[in-house]
Amino acid sequence: MPALFEPVDPGVAKELARKVIQLADRYKERTGITPAFMEVCGSHTMALARTGIKQILQGHVRLVSGPGCPVCVTDQKQIDAMIEVAESENRIVCTFGDMMRVPGSKRSLLSAKTDGRDVRIVYSPLDAVRIAEENPDKEVIFLGVGFETTVPVLAAAIQLAAKKNVGNFSMWATTKLVQPVLRELLTVKKVKINGFLLPGHVSIVLGEKAYRFLIDEFRMPGVISGFEPVEMLSAIYKLLEIITDNRPAIVNNYKSVVRPEGNQAAQKIMYEFFEPCDEAWRGMGVIPQSGLDVRGKYSRFNAKKKFNVEVGEPKKTLCRCGDMICGIASPEECILFGKACTPLHPIGPCMVSTEGSCAAHYAYMRKDG
Amino acid sequence: MERKVTLACGDGGELAHKLIQQVFVSAFQNQDASRFDSAFLSLESGKIAVTTDSFVVNPLFFPGGNIGKIAVAGTVNDLSVAGSIPLYLTAGFIIEEGFPLEDLRKIVRSLAEEASAAGVRIVAGDTKVVEKGGADGLYINTTGIGVQRAEHAIRPGEMQEGDDVIISGTVGDHGIAILAARGELGLMTDLQSDCTPLNHMIDKVLESGAHVRMMRDPTRGGVATTLVEIAEDFGAAIEISETALPIRNEVMGACDILGFDPLYLANEGKVILIVARNDRQRVLDVLRAFPEGRNAAVIGHITGMGEGRLLLETPLGSRRRLRRLSGMMLPRIC
């Protein structure tokens, strides 16, 4: 019996992979350079490894993971603060599953939960508002990490809490914006790549237009991609065509869901409840105006303002997650990888998150053990 | 009688007697065993198979079953996949004070019905009631007793290169059904748990004379973890194909949203069989004649003996190694 779930004819993907390799090899012959592309979406990192694309293209195309995994890019001090928030009585801390095992300097949310703290995994921040309504005698705090994909939903939660006047709900938001970090990678970090595999989900919100600066300022091409093998391979193929012709462009290869102007309703609600702020990124330090925080008008829902949380400077480890998210190091280059740092005993967030490059490498590409 | 289970129901006195008579004995209809402190069982000669399992599922009722059904299916299947014939079950209940009696009746009835359908008798039982907060509703432990097959036994020693890996149906149904039933992740689906005893189907496969080397039920840890264990235990290099895996669209969709891998989701009504290649069709025919085996498929084969490892062939034709589930699966952010 054939599989009940057949996304795309595997033959098409195989043929496409062959063409990608052909074009990449031709580029290398001509220029002496193995083409390198950076994916800036954690879901791409995972999907490229899971589907075997990364393995098949090894030696032909260098796929570099960038800062696309929400918990991986979160500054350690913020992680510590978010865990600290859960340590007081009479609080319910709600979060996305990925946050649970992220190691803080002292411990993780999961170990706080094991010790009896009320930490709950929700899939939508709106559930946290409902939990707050059901528990009026407790403070309910949602830990909101994420990129532009997630912020509109965080905004919707604040909108709902404001509308229903749920005073015991608040949000600890450390959200990140894609444009400033791409700029940082190209200017300050000077990453050596030939193009970006642009994030499908974020682009649904931002639209194609958000990446025009890559061409205007850096002549750096990018292709917006979906997540099926054929979609990712055809995006890589388009990138190869662009660099072969040396005509930098931003191409929308995910037209079924990404519009030129993006999702304007999502953008509107995002900026109604959030405002730009300076954000600290793991391994990169503070990037001006690279994040969003709850707007002053709604600061009664801002957990950072509501609770006085003090954490010390984070413990230094040998973890290279900071280099990983800038595409400077690959998982195998970290001396902790697969030895001291595994999914069961993670040292850094890249090993924890289902979108982290170390977790992807450990699950799908690890050589021994 | 009270509408809820009270602490006094577990103290061995009058109320406990009433609970046992009205809820358990009436459902199990097995009066002969209840007159002694132990049950006496008749067994044929040969080796006895024993297995025990505790069930702590949350929620207690889910689409496609409840904790009572799973407590039978889980233990019966463990006996059956080991190549034995399940005959008897014991059932121990740990109940939280205040548990609704009606729910208890439903669970016990379901346990009795499944046992009867599977052809096993419940021969001993126990009930304890713990204080409110001391347990999450209800836990069940079942111990299963069976006899090892004299004829048509499984022969793991004969496992060899070229053997086929067959799964009796779709992967991951139970895992996603339970997640959806918890209602925490905003998943809405009609998906049912696959939880069911498989012994009749497995009996027919073995009685067909097919050369079955090995069977396991891919419960917690899923198909991948189960196959890694087989590979390591028997030093077999196993390769499965992603495109050959029967997966329901609902399960694949939920996995896409949550960032789960269906190969690591729990199943409660599936069996993985390693069979001689020549017997592939015979086994598939037998399995597909049962509703619970309708979607049976060959998902891979043994590529060599020596080093135990599991490989997955992706739709692109590349191969990657699969390992045990590492830690628990947690839903992702976006």
Side-chain angles (χ1 to χ4, degrees), chain A residues 1 3-5 10 13-14 43 49-53 55-56 70-71 96-98 100-101 110 121 123 127 145 149-150 201 233 343-344 354-355 362-364 366-369, chain B residues 170 183-186 242-249 252 256-259 261 288 294-297 313-321 323 326-328 330-334:
Chain A
M1 193 190 87
L4 296 180
F5 185 76
K14 273 186 191 165
S43 298
R50 189 175 50 77
T51 55
I53 291 179
Q55 296 88 319
I56 270 190
V71 297
F96 297 126
D98 272 0
M100 289 299 281
R101 281 185 292 145
L110 196 62
I121 297 174
Y123 189 67
D127 292 339
V145 296
T149 336
T150 317
H201 295 146
L233 280 166
L344 282 181
T354 47
E355 299 176 51
Y362 190 89
Y364 301 127
R366 181 164 46 117
K367 290 190 185 72
D368 48 57
Chain B
T170 50
E184 292 162 2
L185 298 175
E242 199 174 325
T243 48
L245 284 167
I247 304 177
R248 289 182 199 281
N249 287 338
M252 207 59 233
D256 273 351
I257 293 170
L258 299 171
D261 187 339
R288 288 175 186 165
R294 200 173 52 234
N295 295 318
E313 186 193 11
T314 70
L316 286 172
S318 66
R319 285 169 180 77
R320 60 178 166 84
R321 184 142 176 206
R323 295 152 205 276
S326 198
M328 62 177 188
L330 296 167
R332 65 161 172 221
I333 294 174
C334 69

Coordinates of all heavy atoms in Angstrom, one line a residue, chain A residues 1 3-5 10 13-14 43 49-53 55-56 70-71 96-98 100-101 110 121 123 127 145 149-150 201 233 343-344 354-355 362-364 366-369, chain B residues 170 183-186 242-249 252 256-259 261 288 294-297 313-321 323 326-328 330-334:
Chain A
M1 N 0.8 -1.2 0.0 CA 0.0 0.0 0.0 C 0.9 1.2 0.0 O 1.9 1.3 0.7 CB -0.9 0.0 1.3 CG -2.0 1.0 1.2 SD -2.7 1.1 2.9 CE -1.7 2.3 3.6
A3 N 2.1 5.1 0.9 CA 1.9 5.9 2.1 C 0.6 6.7 1.9 O 0.3 7.2 0.8 CB 3.1 6.8 2.3
L4 N -0.1 6.9 3.1 CA -1.3 7.7 3.0 C -1.0 9.2 2.8 O -1.8 10.0 2.3 CB -2.1 7.5 4.3 CG -2.6 6.1 4.5 CD1 -3.4 6.1 5.8 CD2 -3.6 5.7 3.4
F5 N 0.2 9.5 3.3 CA 0.6 10.9 3.2 C 1.7 11.1 2.1 O 2.8 10.6 2.3 CB 1.1 11.4 4.5 CG 1.4 12.9 4.5 CD1 0.4 13.8 4.5 CD2 2.7 13.4 4.4 CE1 0.6 15.2 4.5 CE2 3.0 14.7 4.4 CZ 1.9 15.6 4.4
P10 N 8.3 12.0 -4.9 CA 9.7 12.0 -4.5 C 10.6 12.1 -5.8 O 11.7 12.6 -5.7 CB 10.0 10.7 -3.8 CG 8.7 10.1 -3.5 CD 7.6 10.8 -4.4
A13 N 11.5 15.7 -6.5 CA 12.5 16.2 -5.6 C 13.9 15.7 -6.0 O 14.9 16.4 -6.0 CB 12.1 15.9 -4.2
K14 N 14.0 14.4 -6.3 CA 15.2 13.8 -6.6 C 15.9 14.5 -7.9 O 17.0 14.8 -7.9 CB 15.1 12.3 -6.9 CG 15.2 11.5 -5.7 CD 15.1 10.0 -6.1 CE 14.9 9.1 -4.8 NZ 14.5 7.8 -5.1
S43 N 12.8 26.6 11.4 CA 12.1 25.5 10.8 C 12.8 25.0 9.5 O 12.7 23.8 9.1 CB 10.6 25.9 10.4 OG 10.0 26.2 11.6
A49 N 17.6 19.3 7.4 CA 18.3 18.2 7.9 C 17.4 16.9 7.9 O 17.8 15.9 7.5 CB 18.8 18.4 9.3
R50 N 16.2 17.1 8.3 CA 15.2 16.0 8.4 C 15.0 15.4 7.0 O 14.9 14.2 6.8 CB 13.9 16.4 9.0 CG 13.0 15.3 9.3 CD 11.7 15.8 10.1 NE 11.1 16.9 9.4 CZ 10.3 16.8 8.3 NH1 10.1 15.6 7.8 NH2 9.8 17.8 7.7
T51 N 14.8 16.2 6.0 CA 14.5 15.7 4.7 C 15.8 15.1 3.9 O 15.6 14.5 2.9 CB 13.9 16.8 3.8 OG1 14.8 17.9 3.7 CG2 12.6 17.2 4.3
G52 N 16.9 15.4 4.5 CA 18.1 14.9 3.9 C 18.7 15.8 2.8 O 19.7 15.5 2.2
I53 N 18.2 17.0 2.7 CA 18.7 17.9 1.6 C 20.1 18.4 2.0 O 21.0 18.4 1.2 CB 17.7 19.2 1.5 CG1 16.4 18.8 0.9 CG2 18.4 20.3 0.7 CD1 15.4 19.9 0.7
Q55 N 22.3 16.8 3.7 CA 23.3 15.7 3.5 C 23.5 15.6 2.0 O 24.7 15.4 1.6 CB 22.7 14.4 4.1 CG 22.5 14.5 5.6 CD 21.1 15.0 6.0 OE1 20.6 15.9 5.5 NE2 20.6 14.4 7.0
I56 N 22.5 15.6 1.2 CA 22.7 15.4 -0.3 C 23.5 16.5 -0.9 O 24.3 16.2 -1.8 CB 21.3 15.3 -0.9 CG1 20.8 13.8 -0.9 CG2 21.3 15.8 -2.3 CD1 19.6 13.5 -1.7
P70 N 14.0 30.9 17.6 CA 13.6 32.0 18.6 C 14.3 31.8 20.0 O 14.8 32.8 20.5 CB 12.1 31.9 18.8 CG 11.7 31.2 17.5 CD 12.8 30.3 17.1
V71 N 14.3 30.6 20.6 CA 15.0 30.6 21.9 C 16.5 30.6 21.8 O 17.2 31.1 22.7 CB 14.5 29.3 22.7 CG1 13.1 29.3 23.0 CG2 15.0 28.0 22.0
F96 N 5.7 28.5 25.4 CA 5.8 27.5 24.4 C 6.7 26.4 24.8 O 7.6 26.6 25.6 CB 6.4 28.2 23.1 CG 5.5 29.3 22.5 CD1 6.1 30.6 22.3 CD2 4.2 29.1 22.2 CE1 5.3 31.6 21.8 CE2 3.4 30.1 21.7 CZ 4.0 31.4 21.5
G97 N 6.5 25.2 24.2 CA 7.2 24.0 24.6 C 8.7 24.2 24.6 O 9.4 23.7 25.4
D98 N 9.2 24.9 23.5 CA 10.6 25.0 23.3 C 11.3 25.6 24.5 O 12.5 25.4 24.7 CB 10.9 25.9 22.1 CG 10.9 25.0 20.8 OD1 10.7 23.8 20.9 OD2 11.1 25.6 19.7
M100 N 10.8 25.2 27.6 CA 10.8 24.4 28.9 C 12.2 23.9 29.3 O 12.6 24.0 30.5 CB 9.9 23.2 28.8 CG 8.4 23.5 28.8 SD 7.9 24.4 30.3 CE 7.8 23.0 31.4
R101 N 13.0 23.4 28.3 CA 14.2 22.8 28.7 C 15.4 23.7 28.5 O 16.6 23.2 28.8 CB 14.4 21.5 28.0 CG 13.6 20.3 28.6 CD 13.8 19.0 27.9 NE 13.3 19.0 26.5 CZ 13.9 18.4 25.5 NH1 15.0 17.8 25.7 NH2 13.3 18.5 24.3
L110 N 11.7 23.5 33.2 CA 11.3 22.2 33.5 C 11.6 21.7 34.9 O 10.8 21.1 35.6 CB 11.9 21.2 32.4 CG 11.2 19.8 32.3 CD1 9.8 19.9 31.9 CD2 12.0 19.0 31.3
I121 N 2.7 24.5 29.5 CA 3.0 24.7 28.0 C 1.7 25.0 27.4 O 0.7 24.3 27.5 CB 3.6 23.4 27.4 CG1 4.9 23.1 28.0 CG2 3.7 23.5 25.9 CD1 5.5 21.7 27.6
Y123 N -0.1 26.3 23.4 CA 0.3 26.4 22.0 C 0.0 27.8 21.6 O 0.6 28.4 20.7 CB -0.5 25.4 21.2 CG 0.1 25.4 19.8 CD1 1.4 25.0 19.5 CD2 -0.7 25.9 18.7 CE1 1.9 25.1 18.2 CE2 -0.2 26.0 17.4 CZ 1.1 25.5 17.2 OH 1.7 25.6 16.0
D127 N -4.4 31.2 25.2 CA -4.8 30.2 26.2 C -4.3 30.7 27.6 O -4.9 30.5 28.6 CB -4.1 28.8 26.0 CG -4.7 28.1 24.7 OD1 -5.8 28.5 24.4 OD2 -4.0 27.3 24.2
V145 N 8.6 34.6 23.4 CA 9.8 34.7 22.6 C 9.3 34.5 21.1 O 8.3 33.8 20.9 CB 10.9 33.7 22.9 CG1 11.5 34.0 24.3 CG2 10.4 32.3 22.8
T149 N 6.7 36.3 13.1 CA 5.6 35.3 13.0 C 4.8 35.2 14.2 O 3.6 35.0 14.2 CB 6.3 33.9 12.8 OG1 7.6 34.0 12.3 CG2 5.5 33.0 12.0
T150 N 5.4 35.3 15.4 CA 4.8 35.1 16.6 C 4.2 36.3 17.3 O 3.2 36.3 18.0 CB 5.8 34.5 17.6 OG1 6.6 33.5 16.9 CG2 5.1 33.8 18.8
H201 N 7.7 31.6 7.0 CA 6.6 32.0 8.0 C 6.7 33.5 8.3 O 5.7 34.2 8.3 CB 6.8 31.2 9.3 CG 6.5 29.8 9.1 ND1 7.1 28.8 9.8 CD2 5.7 29.1 8.3 CE1 6.7 27.6 9.4 NE2 5.8 27.8 8.5
L233 N 14.3 23.0 -2.3 CA 15.3 22.7 -3.3 C 15.1 23.7 -4.5 O 16.1 24.2 -5.0 CB 15.1 21.3 -3.9 CG 15.7 20.2 -3.1 CD1 15.2 18.8 -3.5 CD2 17.2 20.2 -3.2
P343 N 20.7 16.5 23.7 CA 19.3 16.9 24.0 C 18.8 16.6 25.4 O 18.0 17.3 26.0 CB 18.5 16.1 23.0 CG 19.4 15.9 21.8 CD 20.7 15.7 22.5
L344 N 19.4 15.5 26.0 CA 19.0 15.2 27.4 C 19.7 16.1 28.4 O 19.1 16.4 29.5 CB 19.3 13.7 27.7 CG 18.3 12.7 27.2 CD1 18.7 11.3 27.6 CD2 16.9 12.9 27.6
T354 N 13.5 22.6 19.0 CA 13.2 21.8 17.9 C 13.6 22.5 16.6 O 13.5 22.0 15.5 CB 11.7 21.4 17.8 OG1 10.9 22.6 18.0 CG2 11.3 20.4 18.8
E355 N 14.0 23.8 16.7 CA 14.5 24.5 15.6 C 16.0 24.8 15.7 O 16.5 25.5 14.8 CB 13.7 25.8 15.5 CG 12.2 25.6 15.3 CD 11.4 26.9 15.3 OE1 11.8 27.8 14.5 OE2 10.5 27.0 16.0
Y362 N 22.3 17.0 15.8 CA 22.3 15.8 16.7 C 21.3 14.7 16.2 O 21.6 13.5 16.2 CB 22.0 16.2 18.1 CG 22.3 15.1 19.1 CD1 23.6 15.0 19.7 CD2 21.3 14.2 19.5 CE1 23.9 14.0 20.6 CE2 21.6 13.2 20.4 CZ 22.9 13.1 21.0 OH 23.1 12.1 21.9
A363 N 20.1 15.2 15.9 CA 19.1 14.2 15.5 C 19.3 13.6 14.2 O 19.0 12.4 14.0 CB 17.7 14.9 15.6
Y364 N 19.8 14.4 13.2 CA 19.7 13.9 11.8 C 21.1 13.7 11.2 O 21.1 13.1 10.1 CB 18.9 14.9 11.0 CG 17.4 15.0 11.5 CD1 16.9 16.3 11.7 CD2 16.7 13.9 11.7 CE1 15.6 16.4 12.2 CE2 15.4 14.0 12.2 CZ 14.8 15.3 12.4 OH 13.6 15.4 12.9
R366 N 24.3 13.5 13.0 CA 25.5 13.1 13.8 C 26.1 11.8 13.3 O 25.4 10.9 12.8 CB 24.9 12.8 15.2 CG 25.9 12.4 16.2 CD 25.3 12.6 17.6 NE 23.9 12.0 17.6 CZ 23.5 11.0 18.4 NH1 24.4 10.4 19.2 NH2 22.3 10.6 18.4
K367 N 27.4 11.8 13.3 CA 28.1 10.6 12.7 C 28.2 9.4 13.5 O 27.9 8.3 13.1 CB 29.5 11.1 12.2 CG 29.3 12.0 11.0 CD 30.6 12.4 10.3 CE 30.4 13.4 9.3 NZ 30.2 14.8 9.9
D368 N 28.6 9.5 14.8 CA 28.8 8.3 15.6 C 27.8 8.3 16.8 O 27.0 9.2 17.0 CB 30.2 8.2 16.1 CG 30.7 9.6 16.7 OD1 30.0 10.0 17.6 OD2 31.7 10.1 16.2
G369 N 28.0 7.3 17.6 CA 27.3 7.2 18.9 C 25.8 6.7 18.8 O 25.3 6.5 17.7
Chain B
T170 N -1.4 2.5 10.5 CA -0.9 3.8 10.5 C -0.2 4.2 11.8 O -0.5 3.7 12.9 CB -2.1 4.8 10.3 OG1 -3.1 4.5 11.2 CG2 -2.6 4.7 8.9
G183 N -6.7 18.8 25.0 CA -7.3 20.1 24.8 C -6.4 21.3 25.0 O -6.8 22.4 25.0
E184 N -5.1 21.0 25.3 CA -4.2 22.2 25.7 C -3.6 22.8 24.4 O -3.1 23.9 24.5 CB -3.1 21.6 26.6 CG -3.6 21.2 27.9 CD -2.6 20.3 28.6 OE1 -1.5 20.1 28.0 OE2 -2.9 19.8 29.7
L185 N -3.6 22.1 23.3 CA -2.8 22.6 22.2 C -3.7 23.1 21.1 O -3.2 23.5 20.0 CB -1.9 21.5 21.7 CG -0.8 21.0 22.7 CD1 0.0 19.9 22.1 CD2 0.1 22.2 23.0
G186 N -5.0 23.3 21.4 CA -5.9 23.8 20.4 C -6.0 23.0 19.2 O -6.4 23.5 18.1
E242 N 10.9 6.4 4.3 CA 9.9 7.4 4.8 C 8.6 7.3 3.9 O 7.5 7.5 4.4 CB 10.6 8.7 4.7 CG 9.8 9.8 5.5 CD 10.6 11.1 5.6 OE1 11.8 11.1 5.6 OE2 9.9 12.2 5.6
T243 N 8.8 7.1 2.6 CA 7.6 7.1 1.7 C 6.7 5.9 1.9 O 5.6 5.9 1.5 CB 8.0 7.2 0.3 OG1 9.0 6.2 0.0 CG2 8.6 8.6 -0.1
A244 N 7.3 4.9 2.5 CA 6.5 3.6 2.7 C 5.6 3.7 4.0 O 4.8 2.8 4.2 CB 7.4 2.4 2.7
L245 N 5.9 4.6 4.9 CA 5.3 4.6 6.2 C 3.8 5.1 6.0 O 3.5 6.1 5.5 CB 5.9 5.7 7.1 CG 7.3 5.3 7.7 CD1 7.9 6.5 8.3 CD2 7.0 4.2 8.8
P246 N 2.9 4.2 6.5 CA 1.5 4.7 6.5 C 1.2 5.7 7.6 O 1.3 5.4 8.8 CB 0.7 3.4 6.7 CG 1.6 2.4 7.2 CD 3.0 2.9 7.1
I247 N 0.9 6.9 7.2 CA 0.6 8.0 8.2 C -0.6 8.7 7.7 O -0.7 9.1 6.6 CB 1.8 9.0 8.3 CG1 3.1 8.2 8.6 CG2 1.5 10.0 9.3 CD1 4.3 9.1 8.6
R248 N -1.5 8.9 8.7 CA -2.8 9.6 8.3 C -2.4 11.1 8.1 O -1.6 11.6 8.8 CB -3.8 9.5 9.5 CG -4.4 8.1 9.6 CD -5.4 8.1 10.7 NE -5.7 6.7 11.1 CZ -6.5 5.9 10.4 NH1 -7.1 6.3 9.3 NH2 -6.6 4.7 10.9
N249 N -3.2 11.7 7.2 CA -3.0 13.1 7.0 C -3.2 14.0 8.3 O -2.4 14.9 8.5 CB -4.0 13.6 5.9 CG -3.6 13.1 4.6 OD1 -2.4 12.8 4.3 ND2 -4.6 13.1 3.7
M252 N 0.0 13.7 10.2 CA 1.1 14.4 9.6 C 0.9 15.9 9.8 O 1.8 16.7 10.1 CB 1.1 14.1 8.1 CG 2.4 14.2 7.4 SD 3.6 13.2 8.1 CE 4.9 14.4 8.4
D256 N 3.3 18.5 11.7 CA 3.9 19.7 11.0 C 3.7 20.9 11.9 O 4.6 21.8 12.0 CB 3.2 19.9 9.7 CG 3.8 19.1 8.6 OD1 4.9 18.6 8.8 OD2 3.3 19.1 7.5
I257 N 2.5 21.0 12.5 CA 2.2 22.2 13.3 C 3.0 22.2 14.6 O 3.6 23.2 15.0 CB 0.7 22.3 13.7 CG1 -0.2 22.5 12.4 CG2 0.4 23.3 14.7 CD1 -1.6 22.3 12.6
L258 N 3.1 21.1 15.2 CA 3.8 21.0 16.5 C 5.3 20.7 16.5 O 5.9 20.8 17.5 CB 3.1 19.9 17.4 CG 1.6 20.2 17.6 CD1 1.0 19.0 18.3 CD2 1.4 21.4 18.5
G259 N 5.8 20.4 15.3 CA 7.2 20.0 15.2 C 7.5 18.7 15.8 O 8.6 18.4 16.3
D261 N 7.8 14.4 15.3 CA 8.1 13.4 14.3 C 7.2 12.2 14.5 O 7.3 11.6 15.6 CB 9.6 13.0 14.4 CG 10.1 12.1 13.3 OD1 9.2 11.4 12.7 OD2 11.3 12.0 13.1
R288 N -4.3 -7.6 6.8 CA -5.3 -6.7 6.1 C -6.7 -7.2 6.2 O -7.7 -6.5 5.9 CB -4.9 -6.4 4.7 CG -3.7 -5.5 4.6 CD -3.2 -5.4 3.2 NE -2.0 -4.6 3.1 CZ -1.2 -4.6 2.1 NH1 -1.5 -5.2 0.9 NH2 -0.1 -3.9 2.1
R294 N -5.9 -3.2 8.5 CA -6.3 -2.8 7.2 C -5.2 -2.0 6.5 O -5.0 -2.2 5.3 CB -7.5 -1.9 7.3 CG -8.4 -1.8 6.1 CD -9.6 -1.0 6.4 NE -9.4 0.2 7.1 CZ -9.9 0.6 8.2 NH1 -10.8 -0.2 8.8 NH2 -9.6 1.8 8.8
N295 N -4.4 -1.2 7.2 CA -3.4 -0.4 6.5 C -2.0 -0.9 6.7 O -1.0 -0.2 6.6 CB -3.5 1.1 7.1 CG -4.8 1.8 6.8 OD1 -5.3 1.7 5.7 ND2 -5.3 2.5 7.7
A296 N -1.9 -2.2 6.9 CA -0.6 -2.8 7.1 C 0.3 -2.6 5.8 O -0.2 -2.5 4.7 CB -0.8 -4.3 7.3
A297 N 1.5 -2.4 6.1 CA 2.4 -2.1 5.0 C 3.9 -2.6 5.3 O 4.3 -2.6 6.4 CB 2.5 -0.6 4.7
E313 N 15.5 6.0 4.9 CA 15.7 6.5 3.6 C 14.7 7.7 3.4 O 13.5 7.5 3.5 CB 15.5 5.5 2.5 CG 15.9 6.0 1.1 CD 15.4 5.1 0.0 OE1 14.6 4.1 0.2 OE2 15.8 5.3 -1.2
T314 N 15.2 8.9 3.1 CA 14.3 10.0 2.9 C 13.7 10.0 1.5 O 14.2 9.3 0.6 CB 15.0 11.4 3.1 OG1 15.9 11.5 2.0 CG2 15.8 11.4 4.4
P315 N 12.7 10.8 1.2 CA 12.1 10.8 -0.1 C 13.1 11.2 -1.2 O 13.0 10.9 -2.3 CB 11.0 11.8 0.0 CG 10.6 11.9 1.4 CD 11.9 11.6 2.2
L316 N 14.2 11.9 -0.8 CA 15.2 12.3 -1.7 C 16.2 11.2 -2.0 O 17.1 11.4 -2.8 CB 15.9 13.5 -1.2 CG 15.2 14.8 -1.2 CD1 15.9 15.9 -0.5 CD2 14.9 15.2 -2.7
G317 N 16.1 10.1 -1.2 CA 17.0 9.0 -1.5 C 18.2 9.1 -0.6 O 19.1 8.2 -0.6
S318 N 18.4 10.1 0.3 CA 19.5 10.1 1.2 C 19.1 9.2 2.4 O 17.9 9.0 2.7 CB 19.9 11.5 1.6 OG 18.8 12.1 2.4
R319 N 20.1 8.8 3.2 CA 19.8 8.0 4.3 C 20.3 8.7 5.6 O 21.4 9.3 5.6 CB 20.5 6.6 4.2 CG 19.8 5.7 3.2 CD 20.7 4.5 2.9 NE 19.9 3.7 1.9 CZ 19.8 4.0 0.6 NH1 20.4 5.1 0.2 NH2 19.0 3.3 -0.2
R320 N 19.5 8.6 6.6 CA 20.0 9.2 7.9 C 19.7 8.2 9.0 O 18.8 7.4 8.9 CB 19.5 10.6 8.2 CG 18.0 10.6 8.3 CD 17.6 12.1 8.6 NE 16.2 12.3 8.4 CZ 15.2 12.0 9.3 NH1 15.6 11.5 10.5 NH2 14.0 12.3 9.1
R321 N 20.5 8.3 10.0 CA 20.4 7.3 11.1 C 19.3 7.8 12.1 O 19.2 8.9 12.4 CB 21.7 7.2 11.9 CG 21.7 6.2 12.9 CD 23.0 5.5 13.0 NE 23.0 4.6 14.2 CZ 24.0 4.2 14.8 NH1 25.2 4.6 14.5 NH2 23.9 3.4 15.9
R323 N 17.6 7.3 15.9 CA 18.0 6.9 17.2 C 16.8 6.8 18.2 O 15.7 7.2 17.8 CB 19.1 7.8 17.8 CG 20.3 7.8 17.0 CD 21.1 9.1 17.0 NE 21.9 9.3 15.9 CZ 23.2 8.8 15.8 NH1 23.7 8.1 16.7 NH2 23.9 9.0 14.7
S326 N 14.9 11.1 22.4 CA 15.8 11.7 23.3 C 15.1 12.7 24.1 O 14.8 13.8 23.6 CB 17.0 12.3 22.6 OG 18.1 12.5 23.4
G327 N 14.7 12.4 25.3 CA 13.9 13.3 26.1 C 12.5 13.3 25.6 O 12.1 12.6 24.7
M328 N 11.7 14.2 26.2 CA 10.3 14.2 25.7 C 10.1 15.2 24.6 O 10.8 16.1 24.4 CB 9.3 14.5 26.9 CG 9.5 15.8 27.6 SD 8.2 15.9 28.8 CE 8.4 17.6 29.3
L330 N 8.4 18.2 22.9 CA 7.7 19.4 23.3 C 7.3 20.2 22.1 O 8.1 20.3 21.2 CB 8.6 20.3 24.2 CG 9.0 19.6 25.5 CD1 10.1 20.4 26.2 CD2 7.8 19.5 26.5
P331 N 6.1 20.8 22.1 CA 5.7 21.5 20.9 C 6.5 22.8 20.7 O 7.0 23.4 21.6 CB 4.2 21.9 21.2 CG 4.0 21.7 22.6 CD 5.1 20.7 23.1
R332 N 6.8 23.1 19.4 CA 7.7 24.2 19.1 C 6.9 25.6 19.1 O 5.7 25.6 19.2 CB 8.4 24.0 17.8 CG 7.4 24.0 16.7 CD 8.0 24.2 15.4 NE 7.0 24.0 14.3 CZ 7.3 23.3 13.2 NH1 8.5 22.8 13.0 NH2 6.4 23.2 12.3
I333 N 7.7 26.6 18.8 CA 7.1 28.0 18.8 C 6.4 28.3 17.6 O 5.3 28.8 17.6 CB 8.2 29.0 19.2 CG1 8.8 28.7 20.6 CG2 7.7 30.4 19.0 CD1 9.9 29.5 20.9
C334 N 7.0 28.2 16.4 CA 6.3 28.7 15.2 C 6.6 27.7 14.0 O 7.3 26.8 14.2 CB 6.8 30.1 14.8 SG 8.4 30.2 14.3

